[in-house]
Amino acid sequence: MDPGLTRCGFGCVDIDPRRRARLVEVGVVRTPPSQSPELRLLAIAEALDDWIARLGPTSVSVERVFAQDNLRSVIGVAQVMGVVMVAGARAGLEVAQHTPSEAKAAVTGSGTADKPQVQMMVQRILGLDALPKPADAADALAQAICHGWRGGGTGVDGGTEMVSAGGSVRASARTPAQKQWAQAQAAARRYGAVDPRRARR
């Protein structure tokens, strides 16, 4: 995910053991600056809950906040990061963070690549007919690809490794309950079972 209050990029990819990536879904949630912050965060949280329920990911990766001159922007990004982390934890998923430089380096080979380069490489990696737009969508996909590649395949075997914000790979931090939940989510996605949370709505 590429967190932001005005535009929050969502990207979901499947990555197989051979590191081949396939697009599942991508989109951007927009919230109006005129709306109060708590309602904007709620809109993003509800969209994320819907994505998790529909797509059944095995992990969630969010862009790590980094220092900017615009303190107000940093606070908004940090708030959205918190929403993402809570949503992932509530669903029993692993939650990882990668810096923008890590995601850029993963897809382009350079941590200083510009947005058009990231868009072009994401298009090539996923075999898309067109560049992913807007840039927030491409950044979210780069984040997903980065985590999938650095942490190994995101399959149903519970073997995904966590990647720290510093980029070091460590053993999976999943609890047994988290592994069981992730496997159930993946099975529901494969066989079309209804997510119990969706059935209650």
Side-chain angles (χ1 to χ4, degrees):
M1 288 195 55
D2 179 42
L5 264 180
T6 302
R7 294 183 307 277
C8 185
F10 285 56
C12 183
V13 299
D14 276 339
I15 298 180
D16 68 19
R18 291 186 174 184
R19 292 165 56 90
R20 292 176 299 194
R22 180 183 67 85
L23 175 66
V24 176
E25 193 168 327
V26 65
V28 175
V29 177
R30 302 174 188 272
T31 64
S34 59
Q35 199 171 37
S36 59
E38 69 274 15
L39 294 179
R40 300 174 75 184
L41 291 170
L42 177 61
I44 293 169
E46 290 178 338
L48 180 56
D49 286 343
D50 177 71
W51 269 58
I52 290 174
R54 287 191 301 106
L55 304 179
T58 57
S59 60
V60 174
S61 180
V62 60
E63 184 178 285
R64 182 186 177 198
V65 67
F66 60 101
Q68 297 180 19
D69 293 333
N70 189 340
L71 181 60
R72 186 175 180 181
S73 176
V74 171
I75 291 173
V77 171
Q79 289 172 332
V80 176
M81 282 183 64
V83 167
V84 175
M85 294 169 73
V86 168
R90 187 168 53 227
L93 304 176
E94 291 179 338
V95 179
Q97 299 176 47
H98 299 278
T99 65
S101 294
E102 286 180 277
K104 291 176 182 180
V107 299
T108 71
S110 170
T112 59
D114 58 22
K115 288 188 179 294
Q117 288 175 302
V118 172
Q119 287 177 296
M120 183 177 66
M121 288 307 300
V122 167
Q123 178 189 13
R124 182 177 301 177
I125 291 166
L126 296 176
L128 306 178
D129 293 332
L131 292 175
K133 294 180 180 180
D136 308 270
D139 289 344
L141 290 172
Q143 181 75 202
I145 293 167
C146 174
H147 181 61
W149 281 354
R150 287 176 177 264
T154 53
V156 298
D157 60 356
T160 304
E161 293 174 318
M162 290 288 285
V163 182
S164 71
S168 60
V169 178
R170 59 184 174 85
S172 175
R174 277 186 186 166
T175 65
Q178 287 175 324
K179 290 180 181 180
Q180 186 176 11
W181 175 259
Q183 290 168 350
Q185 287 283 73
R189 182 173 166 187
R190 286 201 311 275
Y191 303 119
V194 177
D195 187 302
R197 293 171 298 170
R198 300 285 291 175
R200 288 197 300 266
R201 292 185 179 181

